């Protein structure tokens, strides 16, 4: 990142959501030996992994401030930070994969500590889905932005192409955008991905 900032006139540095890989029954991440060698006060492997990611996020933010403080730094994490049954601070959702518990990315802490300028949570769920509802999750992020800019990531790729039948309603995405506009803290939207717009579903 330092090299990029010194070589190019950039407006921002943006990361997508994968820090540690999604859990996969066919693949086991082999970092136990590294954990045993380098751990300090962490209680377990997951805490150590989250700590690694936190150090990286903080380090990049500090690097940007030192070299060019005008450059913005943001991340697009998984939409569910934690479910309410995993933490009282979590959202009223039942998401299968969460940023904190499964990807070891503590995105709420990055906001509360001010280590990012903005976040683009991937709220890739419809307004009709009960387990992880778009409105429920959007409200949660609105309450947990800690005065950092918040943009919502929308699942344009799911329009007319998903197991959640809410995406087969042509008004789903417009409804999400209208809902966003009821929150003063939501500064805009991002869409995954451009190809979905080109197909004009």
């Amino acid at each position: 990142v330092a090299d990029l900032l010194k070589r190019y006139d950039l407006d921002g540095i943006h990361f997508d959501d994968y820090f540690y890989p999604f859990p996969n029954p066919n693949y086991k991440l082999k970092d136990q030996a590294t954990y045993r060698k380098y751990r300090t006060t962490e209680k377990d492997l997951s805490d150590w992994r989250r700590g690694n990611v936190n150090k990286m996020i903080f380090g990049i933010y500090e690097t940007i401030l030192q070299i060019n403080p005008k450059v913005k730094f943001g991340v697009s994490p998984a939409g569910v930070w934690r479910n309410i049954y995993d933490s009282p601070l979590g959202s009223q959702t039942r998401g299968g994969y969460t940023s904190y518990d499964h990807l070891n990315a503590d995105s709420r802490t990055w906001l509360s500590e001010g280590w990012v300028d903005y976040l683009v949570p991937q709220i890739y769920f419809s307004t009709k889905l009960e387990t992880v509802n778009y409105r429920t999750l959007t409200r949660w992020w609105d309450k947990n932005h800690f005065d950092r800019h918040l943009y919502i990531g929308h699942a344009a790729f799911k329009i007319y192409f998903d197991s959640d039948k809410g995406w087969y309603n042509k008004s789903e995405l417009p409804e999400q955008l209208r809902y966003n506009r009821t929150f003063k803290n939501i500064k805009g939207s991002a869409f995954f991905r451009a190809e979905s717009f080109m197909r004009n579903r």
Side-chain angles (χ1 to χ4, degrees):
V1 169
D3 187 51
L4 288 169
L5 293 171
K6 290 172 182 176
R7 290 173 184 264
Y8 304 101
D9 181 20
L10 302 179
D11 294 314
I13 298 290
H14 181 81
F15 283 6
D16 206 359
D17 62 327
Y18 299 115
F19 295 96
Y20 280 88
F22 266 104
N24 184 335
N26 300 317
Y27 173 77
K28 185 172 178 64
L29 189 61
K30 298 175 182 176
D31 60 350
Q32 286 79 9
T34 310
Y35 162 63
R36 287 191 296 272
K37 182 177 180 180
Y38 293 105
R39 69 178 175 180
T40 53
T41 60
E42 295 87 5
K43 294 178 182 177
D44 60 29
L45 182 62
S46 293
D47 286 335
W48 178 73
R49 288 174 176 173
R50 276 188 291 274
N52 290 335
V53 177
N54 284 347
K55 288 172 190 172
M56 181 183 70
I57 295 293
F58 176 71
I60 289 169
Y61 186 67
E62 286 264 285
T63 298
I64 292 170
L65 287 179
Q66 291 166 7
I67 298 173
N68 187 351
K70 292 181 180 178
V71 171
K72 302 302 180 189
F73 175 45
V75 183
S76 183
V80 180
W81 172 69
R82 298 194 84 184
N83 294 301
I84 190 72
Y85 57 78
D86 292 317
S87 167
L89 297 175
S91 53
Q92 290 280 354
T93 52
R94 298 190 304 279
Y97 291 105
T98 67
S99 179
Y100 183 97
D101 297 291
H102 299 96
L103 299 175
N104 301 292
D106 191 358
S107 47
R108 186 178 183 274
T109 290
W110 310 337
L111 289 169
S112 66
E113 294 294 329
W115 298 341
V116 291
D117 296 301
Y118 68 89
L119 221 61
V120 188
Q122 298 174 8
I123 309 185
Y124 291 173
F125 312 96
S126 80
T127 57
K128 308 298 186 292
L129 189 65
E130 293 182 6
T131 53
V132 187
N133 185 271
Y134 178 86
R135 291 189 185 92
T136 301
L137 208 45
T138 299
R139 283 195 304 271
W140 185 88
W141 281 105
D142 178 67
K143 292 176 182 175
N144 288 275
H145 68 93
F146 295 98
D147 293 323
R148 295 320 230 190
H149 276 207
L150 179 63
Y151 306 91
I152 302 301
H154 297 272
F157 69 99
K158 288 189 174 184
I159 297 171
Y160 292 108
F161 192 71
D162 196 65
S163 58
D164 171 10
K165 299 308 175 188
W167 288 104
Y168 287 79
N169 184 335
K170 66 181 181 181
S171 66
E172 176 60 34
L173 197 54
E175 190 174 330
Q176 291 184 9
L177 295 175
R178 282 192 293 271
Y179 187 68
N180 289 3
R181 291 172 185 153
T182 65
F183 299 94
K184 66 177 182 177
N185 299 317
I186 295 176
K187 305 297 182 183
S189 294
F191 304 89
F192 186 80
R193 58 190 174 216
E195 183 185 13
S196 302
F197 283 102
M198 297 301 289
R199 290 178 180 174
N200 196 21
R201 286 180 174 150

